[in-house]
Amino acid sequence: MSELTDLTIAGALSGLDKGEFTSRELTQAYIAEVENGRALNAFTTETPDKALEMADAADAARRSGDVGPLNGIPLAIKDLFCTKGVLTTASSHILHGFKPPYESSVTSNLWRDGAVMLGKVSLDEFAMGSSNETSFYGPVQNPWRTTDGKARVPGGSSGGSAAAVAAHLAAAATGTDTGGSIRQPASFCGLAGIKPTYGRCSRWGIIAFASSLDQAGPITRNVEDAAIMLRSMAGYDPKDSTSINTPVPDYRKALTGDIRGLKIGIPQEYRMEGTPPDVLALWDRGIQWMKDAGAQIVDISLPHTKYALATYYIVAPAEASSNLARYDGVRYGLREQGGNLIEMYENTRGAGFGEEVQRRILIGTYVLSAGYYDAYYLKAQKVRTLIAQDFEQAFGRVDAILTPTAPCSAFSPGEKSDDPISMYLNDVFTVPASLAGIPGMSVPAGICSAGLPLGLQILGRPFEEETVLKVGHVIEQAAAFGARPRIWWKEAA
Amino acid sequence: MSVDTKTVARIAHLARLKVPEDRLEPLAGELNQLLAWVEQLSEVNTDNVPPLTSVVHARLPRRDDVVTDGDRQADVLANAPDAQNGFFAVPKVIE
């Protein structure tokens, strides 16, 4: 029955509807794949018993006519979402043994709609990274390898999510995106991934990294699945004061294939020096697909683009240093003893946080410290205003913006580990939209010369995820991506 | 602006991070590299530009000032590395 795991969410829902198989059968097929896929190191915690229990409940609900929009669909959950009674680690040693006594709002929404949890998937520690190499539980492997068999990173920070979905260990997965952590791994693993507008999905119960930027979203095999899953994840939540009380549309209805007359902006600043020809060629192909579908191409300028990364690497660490102050060895997680209370804090945090997290806490503490606050943090917040204004002005002229998702395809393990800035540069095309809070999606659109997937990014106006999905769907149709990685991880099992 | 090992030690203490002596020098190097990189923002004219504090153009919602949750002592203490008599236990702070 292993072909059950090749079904998309939409395909599986249709099979469940017709009674061709049960959620228990579908879930069992995925549990077997999760076991066969351990060489990928995608999961931090597998929950097969819970999955079967949820599948049986979904089957029972279906029999009684109570069929939620995700009834019986097995998902992987990024280990940044708190799940009641199930180990939640943020891939950090400092959350050693933490079992939340509550469920995040987004995962509660998914279970309300009938979804099934297969387990928790790995990430860069506290979502800080672009390669999934900083996880305390070890690096995650990209199911995709180069044509000549070389290993690649899955991207990050939602690398476990992307690896699990690309290897068909889960029908889809939740991700979170602070500076590109849904879109870049989706691009690296040949998947669809959407970061909705800031405020669309509740942040309640998601372990905080940078609160003014963090947003949850789905990583799926295609755009239709992203539309289905986003609808369930999104929604107003009084427990998150930045959650926006606006109706959640049925995103699937937006996938009409008709973008005639739509104005698509092409920002000249994203044509950066040093971008590989493969990436630029794919972008040009995307522009041609838009024209072929009857959209109008408009050249636009986002003049502050080049300052986005530097702005981000002040704002995000500043917020992180504040958010991560809570890990003190007192209320949950790791405790390392010390001679007095302060030493206990310092020993716990020194042992519990990895190198990249410590680096960001230090830089964040520095830019917020007395005497430097205005020069760094306040300055960055002002430049952030200019970056957001760039988009506002552009969206006065266009309905959506098309760019590459990342400046390259998946890179080698260790390739960027020694130089933090070269790692940060990987987010150059995704960070600006995060700073502005606007929705962005990556759609698989081609294969590079090394045989690895490449994505195109679509950005939209605030709360216009429907336009983003509609355009993404047209690109998906035109690209007819369909490629899959060669299955090597089962041989390794 | 450049960071020396003394500053790294001070920042680490502010952030309650134990940084071994032999890590101070390399960390100072890394932080200086990052600070030199973000220095590019000084080229941007931000006169009369307000700082962006929220991307959401909405008023913060209000709710009635009433207790909506509580009586969860066992839940709150369930993950504590050390809990005694219904409290979090920490090393002695008062001699």
Side-chain angles (χ1 to χ4, degrees):
Chain A
M1 293 283 273
S2 77
E3 70 270 22
L4 284 183
T5 56
D6 292 339
L7 295 170
T8 58
I9 293 179
L13 284 172
S14 154
L16 287 163
D17 273 345
K18 291 180 194 145
E20 289 167 3
F21 47 84
T22 61
S23 174
R24 171 170 267 266
E25 287 165 336
L26 181 65
T27 302
Q28 276 172 330
Y30 274 114
I31 290 171
E33 290 305 290
V34 170
E35 287 171 6
N36 287 331
R38 285 184 185 144
L40 294 162
N41 198 31
F43 280 76
T44 49
T45 305
E46 297 171 13
T47 57
D49 296 340
K50 191 178 173 68
L52 289 173
E53 209 177 285
M54 293 173 89
D56 287 342
D59 285 331
R62 184 176 289 276
R63 281 193 298 273
S64 72
D66 170 21
V67 188
L70 281 172
N71 182 282
I73 301 298
L75 302 176
I77 301 300
K78 186 177 184 179
D79 209 3
L80 201 63
F81 291 81
C82 286
T83 43
K84 190 172 179 177
V86 175
L87 194 64
T88 298
T89 69
S91 283
S92 179
H93 186 37
I94 209 156
L95 273 166
H96 178 77
F98 176 57
K99 290 184 177 170
Y102 50 82
E103 187 77 27
S104 85
S105 294
V106 162
T107 48
S108 295
N109 292 347
L110 292 169
W111 315 143
R112 173 203 66 204
D113 286 355
V116 168
M117 179 166 84
L118 290 165
K120 306 294 287 290
V121 278
S122 193
L123 58 146
D124 281 294
E125 185 180 1
F126 279 103
M128 297 178 190
S130 308
S131 68
N132 225 295
E133 292 171 293
T134 70
S135 167
F136 178 70
Y137 300 97
V140 174
Q141 301 277 321
N142 193 331
W144 289 85
R145 290 184 156 176
T146 59
T147 320
D148 54 354
K150 292 200 180 78
R152 285 293 181 262
V153 301
S157 67
S158 310
S161 305
V165 179
H168 293 195
L169 313 187
T174 59
T176 63
D177 191 312
T178 303
S181 286
I182 288 174
R183 292 161 283 162
Q184 183 254 22
S187 176
F188 279 16
C189 294
L191 301 166
I194 182 165
K195 178 200 89 76
T197 313
Y198 184 84
R200 186 56 107 171
C201 289
S202 170
R203 291 180 296 109
W204 194 83
I206 299 174
I207 294 171
F209 161 16
S211 303
S212 77
L213 298 156
D214 298 343
Q215 255 301 289
I219 293 182
T220 56
R221 294 187 206 157
N222 63 23
V223 176
E224 183 182 26
D225 282 6
I228 295 170
M229 194 162 153
L230 179 61
R231 186 188 177 197
S232 286
M233 292 172 73
Y236 176 62
D237 179 11
K239 287 188 282 197
D240 172 2
S241 65
T242 59
S243 168
I244 298 293
N245 196 353
T246 180
V248 178
D250 182 351
Y251 294 115
R252 221 168 161 179
K253 289 193 178 142
L255 310 181
T256 57
D258 183 5
I259 58 164
R260 282 173 298 174
L262 219 60
K263 293 192 179 105
I264 308 290
I266 308 298
Q268 57 182 54
E269 290 81 4
Y270 282 55
R271 215 166 272 278
M272 286 176 184
E273 223 176 289
T275 307
D278 282 6
V279 173
L280 293 174
L282 182 72
W283 193 14
D284 288 338
R285 221 171 304 148
I287 293 168
Q288 190 56 46
W289 291 331
M290 295 286 92
K291 285 183 189 162
D292 294 346
Q296 190 188 332
I297 298 298
V298 181
D299 287 322
I300 57 165
S301 173
L302 300 166
H304 296 90
T305 299
K306 65 183 273 207
Y307 300 109
L309 274 177
T311 302
Y312 178 85
Y313 278 97
I314 293 174
V315 172
E319 293 184 16
S321 76
S322 167
N323 272 325
L324 270 55
R326 73 191 66 180
Y327 303 100
D328 56 6
V330 173
R331 290 157 296 168
Y332 32 69
L334 184 75
R335 171 182 291 192
E336 291 287 322
Q337 302 301 338
N340 57 44
L341 185 62
I342 301 284
E343 262 181 49
M344 188 275 279
Y345 291 153
E346 293 185 340
N347 291 345
T348 298
R349 292 164 60 79
F353 292 131
E355 228 174 79
E356 178 63 19
V357 174
Q358 294 204 24
R359 189 182 293 130
R360 296 207 197 180
I361 290 175
L362 288 172
I363 200 92
T365 305
Y366 182 74
V367 301
L368 290 176
S369 65
Y372 299 103
Y373 181 91
D374 286 2
Y376 290 110
Y377 187 68
L378 194 65
K379 179 77 183 180
Q381 291 286 63
K382 289 178 176 176
V383 179
R384 190 176 176 187
T385 298
L386 295 172
I387 291 164
Q389 284 174 354
D390 283 355
F391 281 109
E392 271 175 47
Q393 279 159 16
F395 283 122
R397 297 177 55 212
V398 299
D399 302 297
I401 294 171
L402 180 72
T403 79
T405 306
C408 59
S409 55
F411 48 87
S412 313
E415 190 181 324
K416 297 178 193 290
S417 304
D418 297 334
D419 178 4
I421 293 175
S422 81
M423 185 71 87
Y424 299 169
L425 288 173
N426 221 261
D427 297 328
V428 63
F429 298 141
T430 48
V431 151
S434 295
L435 289 169
I438 59 173
M441 180 178 208
S442 181
V443 176
I447 299 274
C448 76
S449 54
L452 300 164
L454 286 172
L456 286 174
Q457 176 178 240
I458 304 103
L459 306 175
R461 296 190 188 102
F463 297 100
E464 291 191 11
E465 285 84 4
E466 287 165 290
T467 307
V468 172
L469 288 158
K470 186 197 299 251
V471 174
H473 182 62
V474 168
I475 290 175
E476 181 178 61
Q477 302 290 320
F481 182 77
R484 279 197 62 192
R486 190 184 72 79
I487 299 170
W488 54 265
W489 53 92
K490 291 190 188 176
E491 297 152 24
Chain B
M1 280 175 259
S2 156
V3 170
D4 54 17
T5 54
K6 227 177 96 191
T7 313
V8 177
R10 186 176 65 84
I11 294 291
H13 181 64
L14 280 175
R16 300 289 184 263
L17 280 176
K18 184 184 167 70
V19 175
E21 202 72 35
D22 63 350
R23 281 287 298 147
L24 291 174
E25 190 73 52
L27 271 170
E30 287 170 23
L31 295 189
N32 279 323
Q33 211 190 337
L34 283 169
L35 291 170
W37 179 60
V38 300
E39 196 53 45
Q40 55 177 293
L41 295 188
S42 60
E43 306 164 20
V44 187
N45 182 350
T46 51
D47 296 347
N48 305 314
V49 177
L52 191 152
T53 48
S54 170
V55 293
V56 176
H57 302 290
R59 275 172 58 103
L60 278 181
R62 295 179 177 195
R63 64 169 176 82
D64 292 336
D65 187 13
V66 291
V67 176
T68 56
D69 202 352
D71 276 335
R72 290 178 183 264
Q73 189 186 44
D75 279 353
V76 168
L77 293 174
N79 280 289
D82 189 6
Q84 287 168 26
N85 308 317
F87 293 95
F88 294 111
V90 297
K92 202 167 165 183
V93 277
I94 303 166
E95 290 303 324

